[in-house]
Amino acid sequence: MSNEYRVLERMLVEGQISRQEFKERIDAEYDKLEQELMNDEIAPDEHVERYNVLMELEPQSFGPPELHEHI
């Protein structure tokens, strides 16, 4: 995971940014990554690696599962 992603994740954990802002920043990274691939700035293999790192961060933006009542 790149240092940029670690910093972003740490900011979320420490409460420096909201979950919504974290999600927006991750979405912006997806867009940036796609644009870099389309402009041939990165190779497809690098795209896949960076995309997978973003995917690992994604579920964390929603927090842990909450208890709910079964009806």
Side-chain angles (χ1 to χ4, degrees), residues 5 30 33-34 37 42-56:
Y5 298 149
Y30 279 122
L33 187 59
E34 180 180 353
L37 180 64
I42 60 173
D45 290 341
E46 183 179 353
H47 177 267
V48 169
E49 288 175 19
R50 291 173 54 189
Y51 185 89
N52 287 339
V53 169
L54 287 172
M55 287 295 293
E56 290 175 11

Side-chain angles (χ1 to χ4, degrees), residues 2-67:
S2 76
N3 187 46
E4 181 179 339
Y5 298 149
R6 281 191 209 115
V7 169
L8 188 59
E9 184 177 33
R10 184 170 32 96
M11 289 173 69
L12 175 66
V13 170
E14 293 175 356
Q16 296 175 355
I17 60 173
S18 68
R19 288 183 176 154
Q20 178 64 30
E21 186 177 354
F22 179 79
K23 175 82 171 115
E24 290 171 1
R25 289 187 183 192
I26 292 295
D27 289 344
E29 286 297 317
Y30 279 122
D31 294 340
K32 178 181 165 187
L33 187 59
E34 180 180 353
Q35 192 60 42
E36 288 177 353
L37 180 64
M38 293 300 182
N39 292 341
D40 289 329
E41 296 172 9
I42 60 173
D45 290 341
E46 183 179 353
H47 177 267
V48 169
E49 288 175 19
R50 291 173 54 189
Y51 185 89
N52 287 339
V53 169
L54 287 172
M55 287 295 293
E56 290 175 11
L57 291 177
E58 187 79 26
Q60 296 174 9
S61 66
F62 299 109
E66 296 182 14
L67 296 176

